[in-house]
Amino acid sequence: MIRDATPADVPVIHAMIRELAEYEKALHEARASEEQLREALFGERPAAYAHLAETEDGQVAGFALWFLNFSTWRGVHGIYLEDLYVRPGQRGGGHGKALLASLARICVERGYERLEWSVLNWNEPSIDFYRALGAQPQDEWTVYRLTDGALAELGGE
C-alpha cells in the first residue's frame, strides 16, 4: 500500500534517508535533521512531498521523496524524485514499482509531462529495475552541483 506521509512519519523517513545514504556510501553527507524534514514536508510552504510504501501488516517498507520541477521547453511542471528507497528486507516485493507508479499517476492526473531522477552509475540493481519499467537514461546530460565552500564562494560569502 502507498500512502502520503504524515508529520508522525518524519522519524522513520529520517531513518530511511540515513539508511539510503549508508547504502550509497555517503552517510557523512546526510546532514538533514528531523526538524528540517518536518519543515520541508509539512511547514507553511512545503518544499517537498513524501509517500510511504507499507507492508500488509503496516510496516514501512520504503519511501519516495519528491518535489516539483518545471520544463521551460514543455511549459509545465514535472516531478523530480529526490530519493526512492526500499529497505533491503522488503526489496522484490513490488514496493519500489508501486511508489514510482504513484508518482506517475500524479503526473498523469495533473498534466505533468516528466518524472525524472538520478541514479549512481555503480548502482546496477537500480539501473536494471528502472530500465525494466521503461525508464531511459539521459546520457547526453551531466549533472553539476555546487555545495559547501564552492557555493559560498560563488554566492559571495
Side-chain angles (χ1 to χ4, degrees):
M1 179 181 93
I2 304 300
R3 66 173 177 83
D4 291 345
T6 68
D9 295 314
V10 169
V12 73
I13 293 169
H14 184 258
M16 286 189 293
I17 289 170
R18 296 193 54 79
E19 291 171 24
L20 174 60
E22 186 170 21
Y23 172 75
E24 292 184 350
K25 303 172 179 69
L27 184 57
H28 63 284
E29 294 181 37
R31 300 185 304 215
S33 68
E34 287 185 25
E35 182 178 301
Q36 287 172 308
L37 289 172
R38 187 172 287 104
E39 181 64 26
L41 294 169
F42 305 106
E44 186 176 319
R45 295 176 59 192
Y49 307 91
H51 296 257
L52 299 178
E54 290 183 331
T55 62
E56 289 182 15
D57 63 355
Q59 297 295 314
V60 176
F63 78 104
L65 194 142
W66 59 276
F67 55 88
L68 293 178
N69 59 15
F70 184 81
S71 170
T72 56
W73 288 16
R74 294 188 176 223
V76 296
H77 281 291
I79 287 178
Y80 186 83
L81 175 60
E82 179 66 19
D83 286 326
L84 176 70
Y85 179 71
V86 175
R87 289 184 153 151
Q90 300 296 331
R91 292 181 187 155
H95 302 294
K97 183 176 182 180
L99 285 163
L100 283 170
S102 73
L103 298 183
R105 205 167 12 263
I106 291 170
C107 288
V108 170
E109 290 170 356
R110 297 181 187 177
Y112 302 162
E113 295 190 12
R114 290 182 179 167
L115 172 55
E116 297 179 316
W117 62 91
S118 297
V119 61
L120 291 165
N121 292 334
W122 58 260
N123 193 345
E124 287 297 326
S126 293
I127 291 168
D128 292 344
F129 168 67
Y130 298 141
R131 286 192 171 163
L133 295 176
Q136 299 296 313
Q138 300 298 298
D139 295 334
E140 68 273 13
W141 295 90
T142 299
V143 175
Y144 283 84
R145 178 180 296 158
L146 281 172
T147 61
D148 303 325
L151 179 63
E153 184 178 334
L154 184 61
E157 293 193 17

